[in-house]
Amino acid sequence: MTEIVLMSDPRVAAIPVTECGERLVDVRIGDSLLVDARKQDPADAFAYLREGVLDRLLEAQALLPRGLRLLFVEGYRPPALQRKYFEEYADQLRTGNPEWQAEEIHSAASRYVSPPEIAPHSAGAAVDLTLADAGGRELNLGTRMNADPEESAGACYTDALNISEEARANRKLLGSVLTVAGLVNYPTEWWHWSFGDRYWAMVTGEAAALYGPKEINSHL
């Protein structure tokens, strides 16, 4: 794909979900991934992912050069929390751009936070992550994780040109191992990768998504 398709695009919403029923699992079990607690939520849901997504992350990690690891920051996000994030960012855009119409606000907000009805995080299908060295120190990937387009002057876009050669090389490495493992990137956020959700289905040409929105207590 050469064009950037946003989460708000009708083509994403049009993809059906054939829920496979796969469970959510805690990525901290077994200590196989480095887990950063900066996005920890009251329900402690951030560290959960669908089992198939975790399997692919471990596959990707095994492809990294010696001394590097994936640093997991956030996976599952309850639908109510996703809605809160989206509405907060939309309000921020609305305040800064009072001349924008509702459709413009919705589309612009989806560059940074997925609309709740589409959100891969709420399906347990998406992960926000970066690279770290053996000591757990984050590598330079050009922006802080979760930098919005306004704050970063667009450097949060995966293929942004206004980042250093070092950051570009690190993004390329992260992307290469995750792509081999079957995940797809949301191109406005270098840190956001997913498998099995509607956006993944659109990018890969699959007829349906494997995972739909899920409540955290339904995995028990």
Side-chain angles (χ1 to χ4, degrees), residues 50-118:
R50 296 287 188 136
E51 195 167 24
V53 183
L54 175 58
D55 289 344
R56 285 164 175 79
L57 289 186
L58 297 179
E59 178 184 338
Q61 181 164 263
L63 298 172
L64 287 171
R66 186 180 181 89
L68 295 182
R69 295 182 69 183
L70 297 178
L71 178 61
F72 175 101
V73 175
E74 185 179 20
Y76 175 76
R77 189 181 295 158
L81 184 59
Q82 180 71 31
R83 191 171 302 108
K84 176 177 180 287
Y85 285 166
F86 186 81
E87 290 173 355
E88 285 177 348
Y89 185 51
D91 285 344
Q92 178 183 323
L93 291 173
R94 198 174 290 111
T95 299
N97 304 277
E99 74 282 4
W100 285 10
Q101 299 300 310
E103 186 176 332
E104 292 177 281
I105 296 291
H106 190 269
S107 178
S110 75
R111 296 170 304 164
Y112 180 57
V113 186
S114 175
E117 64 275 11
I118 300 298

Side-chain angles (χ1 to χ4, degrees), residues 18 34 52 54 80 93 96 102 116 156 197 199 201 208:
T18 303
L34 287 175
L54 175 58
L93 291 173
C156 59
D197 61 299
Y199 199 84

Side-chain angles (χ1 to χ4, degrees), residues 1 5 7 53 56-57 120-121 125-129 158 174-206:
M1 293 175 62
V5 178
M7 291 282 185
V53 183
R56 285 164 175 79
L57 289 186
H121 280 290
V127 57
D128 293 341
L129 79 175
T158 306
L174 179 66
S176 65
V177 298
L178 291 169
T179 299
V180 168
L183 285 84
V184 302
N185 173 241
Y186 188 41
T188 63
E189 300 177 343
W190 59 261
W191 56 85
H192 176 107
W193 292 79
S194 67
F195 171 83
D197 61 299
R198 281 171 158 151
Y199 199 84
W200 164 86
M202 186 203 64
V203 172
T204 59
E206 294 290 332

